[in-house]
Amino acid sequence: MFVYLLFSRQIGLSIMDKSRTNIKLFEGKNVRHEWDEQEEKLWFSIVDVIAVLTEQHDTLKARKYWNKLKQRLKEEGNEAVTKCHQLKMEAADGKMRLTDVADTEQLLRIVQSVPSPKAEPFKLWLAKVGSERLDETVDPELSIDRAIQNYRRLGYSENWINQRIKSIEVRKALTDEWGQSGVEQGEEYATLTDLMSKTWSGMTTREYRQHKGLKKENLRDNMTNTELVLNMLAEVAATDISIERQPIGFDESADVAAEGAQAAKVAREQIESSTGKRVVSSLNAQNLKQLSDEKS
């Protein structure tokens, strides 16, 4: 999430507009980008970013620069280039034309190859992150401290931060249990997570993000205290049941996951019955004070 937030701030883009093709300004220059609902990715026009980095006002020259850079990177075996693809975006003449695009991760790697003062903040940041990750490998507690500092910097309350850090621990215990049960990381983990979310909240994770107006952002970073607690209850219950039953494989683990999430659903319905308010909220991190203080 922090990679994404930093990158969005650096190039001056607002990504809340859900129209198919967007044109935003960065220091007077256009940077086209498009949100892919299916893949949940933001795609940027590489030529537009190259034009910004090289301070090139001539689109044709920026395209030629990119073509030469792309050829060199391909010869070097750069994966960021081989994985790039094309989308139709509105050109200067108003027509929809195919243009090379990259997602955030790919674009950051391409930026490293552009000798531009405007690229330096990205390069320095990447070097800093790499150093931090090495330190965290030796001392995992550092990653928790860094997360706490980031949440504070973003304006979350101490109470919310405590809940969020605890939710990370709870999630880790559940995924460890899934791993021991033979559930495969990736698609099977995601499917079980969706199953649990749908059971206790009534929404899949994608539907939940849409309800909160989110795109790439982490769903849990946009939950209220109550939502976090109920999500943790679902995961704690599933973990405890799994430890007792020792399920084998995906199907048995799915039954356990659904049963654990059912406990959180019962709690949610009780809270809603007592307060007369819905627990699943449309609040997100843009409503930080309400998000941190919301009790139901």
Side-chain angles (χ1 to χ4, degrees):
M1 180 192 76
F2 298 114
V3 176
Y4 184 68
L5 291 175
L6 175 65
F7 185 70
S8 298
R9 286 199 296 270
Q10 288 281 356
I11 63 175
L13 292 172
S14 169
I15 62 170
M16 297 312 293
D17 183 355
K18 292 187 178 181
S19 58
R20 185 181 184 279
T21 301
N22 302 276
I23 299 178
K24 301 296 181 184
L25 293 177
F26 172 71
E27 296 183 355
K29 296 183 180 180
N30 294 336
V31 177
R32 292 168 294 170
H33 65 288
E34 180 176 320
W35 175 253
D36 188 326
E37 292 286 352
Q38 290 299 114
E39 294 192 38
E40 296 185 329
K41 279 187 176 182
L42 191 64
W43 298 101
F44 296 92
S45 165
I46 299 175
V47 170
D48 293 352
V49 175
I50 291 293
V52 171
L53 294 175
T54 60
E55 300 182 277
Q56 180 56 256
H57 300 285
D58 188 321
T59 302
L60 181 58
K61 289 183 179 179
R63 186 176 294 112
K64 287 182 178 179
Y65 184 104
W66 164 236
N67 287 337
K68 289 182 180 179
L69 177 61
K70 177 167 59 173
Q71 183 59 38
R72 177 170 65 82
L73 293 176
K74 281 184 176 180
E75 291 173 355
E76 295 173 355
N78 190 306
E79 291 186 5
V81 174
T82 58
K83 291 181 180 179
C84 286
H85 66 276
Q86 294 186 321
L87 289 177
K88 280 191 174 182
M89 291 185 168
E90 186 175 353
D93 60 5
K95 295 182 179 180
M96 300 298 290
R97 300 182 186 279
L98 284 172
T99 185
D100 288 344
V101 295
D103 62 19
T104 306
E105 181 181 356
Q106 293 165 349
L107 200 54
L108 283 168
R109 296 173 73 178
I110 291 170
V111 164
Q112 293 181 80
S113 302
V114 180
S116 165
K118 293 180 181 293
E120 285 308 307
F122 294 99
K123 296 177 183 179
L124 293 173
W125 183 81
L126 287 171
K128 182 174 183 294
V129 170
S131 176
E132 289 175 348
R133 293 300 181 273
L134 288 174
D135 291 341
E136 289 165 9
T137 301
V138 177
D139 185 0
E141 189 174 334
L142 291 174
S143 63
I144 297 175
D145 292 338
R146 182 172 58 84
I148 291 172
Q149 291 306 315
N150 278 322
Y151 285 129
R152 284 173 178 163
R153 176 175 54 79
L154 291 170
Y156 290 94
S157 72
E158 291 299 313
N159 184 35
W160 185 94
I161 292 172
N162 289 336
Q163 299 284 12
R164 182 67 180 95
I165 296 302
K166 183 63 179 177
S167 75
I168 296 172
E169 176 188 337
V170 168
R171 174 67 179 181
K172 178 65 165 54
L174 176 59
T175 56
D176 284 349
E177 187 61 28
W178 283 347
Q180 292 178 16
S181 299
V183 178
E184 295 184 5
Q185 291 189 33
E187 186 175 346
E188 289 191 348
Y189 275 33
T191 301
L192 291 182
T193 301
D194 263 349
L195 170 63
M196 295 183 69
S197 177
K198 183 72 173 180
T199 300
W200 83 259
S201 72
M203 300 180 187
T204 64
T205 51
R206 174 172 290 186
E207 291 168 342
Y208 212 149
R209 281 199 296 269
Q210 291 175 342
H211 180 63
K212 287 180 173 289
L214 306 176
K215 290 183 177 179
K216 190 75 172 180
E217 302 92 330
N218 186 292
L219 176 58
R220 295 170 198 236
D221 286 344
N222 290 272
M223 286 183 173
T224 65
N225 281 328
T226 306
E227 288 172 300
L228 276 174
V229 168
L230 288 174
N231 196 66
M232 281 193 287
L233 173 58
E235 294 186 334
V236 165
T239 301
D240 288 348
I241 295 170
S242 181
I243 291 172
E244 291 300 318
R245 294 191 186 166
Q246 295 292 301
I248 299 175
F250 175 82
D251 290 340
E252 292 184 13
S253 293
D255 291 338
V256 169
E259 190 171 341
Q262 183 66 27
K265 178 184 179 181
V266 171
R268 173 180 64 79
E269 291 175 340
Q270 180 60 54
I271 293 171
E272 290 176 340
S273 176
S274 299
T275 64
K277 297 180 181 179
R278 290 191 63 188
V279 164
V280 177
S281 170
S282 61
L283 292 176
N284 57 42
Q286 292 185 336
N287 318 104
L288 283 177
K289 188 176 188 309
Q290 286 177 275
L291 182 69
S292 297
D293 295 342
E294 188 77 2
K295 295 298 188 294
S296 63

